[in-house]
Amino acid sequence: MLEVRGLAKHFGGVRSVDGIDFTIRPGEVFGLIGPNGSGKSTTVNLISGLYEPTGGQILFEGNDIGRVPAHRRLSLGLARTFQNIRLFSNLTVWENLWMAENAPSHRTGGFLKRWIGGRKEARDRMKRALEFSGLAHRADDFAGSLAFGEQRRLELARALAAEPKLLLLDEPAAGMNAEEIAELDERIRLLQKESYTILLIEHHMELVMAVTDRICVLNFGRKIAEGTPVEVQADAAVREAYLGAAA
Ligand code: ADP
Ligand code: MG
């Protein structure tokens, strides 16, 4: 579904992402891990179109999207959440979903059909996304009044309302307590059952090891390992990268 080839992003002399390759297969939960500053968020920013690559290719369903604008990538079926929550705090939960819904649609049909049929469809989609995220009762509350864990869930709901083919989650558990992480774990498993394809960046190792099919490990902008959770955990280079980072 997604193939990254020799992907690179340099900021001046800083090689945030320095020529990485990986492939995400349909229906897979693919983990992207690595110490702080290893290039994980930059990779998601490249895939979602926030940054233009310095080099390399991003193939989504066979097409190079490396220079396609971000809103077009959303309409192609790529949706994301942010490591640092980005919501409109002075809009309601429902309005925050509308903002995402107003992005162009990858669903087919002529303009008129989409306009007439689309509004009810969009409402239903938004309702389902809110229910799935446990936020239906908060629809009319300001996003700014939500607890932190709820804001994270709203980010997820907003990405889901776009009915993405590939969902990019950048540290969705950051700042969550144990109970919230357990709920997130459950939600990711449900999405996986519904055959969503997911790229998950996460530093809660228990969560990553439990929900991912395969994992790519970055260090200093380069891939140092790739494999199943069991393989990656046993990898000497991975252990060293994490121990080095902790020291
Ligand atoms: P991670 O998400 O793995 O913690 P990032 O991808 O956020 O790491 O960052 C990787 C490196 O790239 C870091 O050294 C960071 O400071 C640098 N970096 C990220 N974004 C920018 C930017 N917009 N300008 C300059 N440097 C950046
Ligand atoms: Mg990051």
PDB file of all heavy atoms in Angstrom, residues 6 128-130:
ATOM      1  N   GLY A   6      14.440   5.171  -0.286  1.00  0.00           N
ATOM      2  CA  GLY A   6      15.547   6.126  -0.148  1.00  0.00           C
ATOM      3  C   GLY A   6      15.094   7.487   0.343  1.00  0.00           C
ATOM      4  O   GLY A   6      15.693   8.518   0.005  1.00  0.00           O
ATOM      5  N   ARG A 128     -20.246   8.050  13.480  1.00  0.00           N
ATOM      6  CA  ARG A 128     -19.590   6.756  13.749  1.00  0.00           C
ATOM      7  C   ARG A 128     -18.200   6.965  14.328  1.00  0.00           C
ATOM      8  O   ARG A 128     -17.806   6.288  15.273  1.00  0.00           O
ATOM      9  CB  ARG A 128     -19.483   5.937  12.450  1.00  0.00           C
ATOM     10  CG  ARG A 128     -20.765   5.246  12.056  1.00  0.00           C
ATOM     11  CD  ARG A 128     -20.501   4.106  11.083  1.00  0.00           C
ATOM     12  NE  ARG A 128     -19.789   4.551   9.891  1.00  0.00           N
ATOM     13  CZ  ARG A 128     -20.383   5.036   8.797  1.00  0.00           C
ATOM     14  NH1 ARG A 128     -21.701   5.143   8.754  1.00  0.00           N
ATOM     15  NH2 ARG A 128     -19.680   5.413   7.750  1.00  0.00           N
ATOM     16  N   ALA A 129     -17.470   7.940  13.764  1.00  0.00           N
ATOM     17  CA  ALA A 129     -16.107   8.200  14.244  1.00  0.00           C
ATOM     18  C   ALA A 129     -16.132   8.665  15.699  1.00  0.00           C
ATOM     19  O   ALA A 129     -15.297   8.260  16.509  1.00  0.00           O
ATOM     20  CB  ALA A 129     -15.422   9.238  13.360  1.00  0.00           C
ATOM     21  N   LEU A 130     -17.139   9.505  16.041  1.00  0.00           N
ATOM     22  CA  LEU A 130     -17.249   9.994  17.422  1.00  0.00           C
ATOM     23  C   LEU A 130     -17.618   8.876  18.373  1.00  0.00           C
ATOM     24  O   LEU A 130     -17.073   8.761  19.474  1.00  0.00           O
ATOM     25  CB  LEU A 130     -18.305  11.093  17.521  1.00  0.00           C
ATOM     26  CG  LEU A 130     -17.881  12.521  17.220  1.00  0.00           C
ATOM     27  CD1 LEU A 130     -18.974  13.474  17.658  1.00  0.00           C
ATOM     28  CD2 LEU A 130     -16.571  12.886  17.898  1.00  0.00           C
TER      29      LEU A 130
END
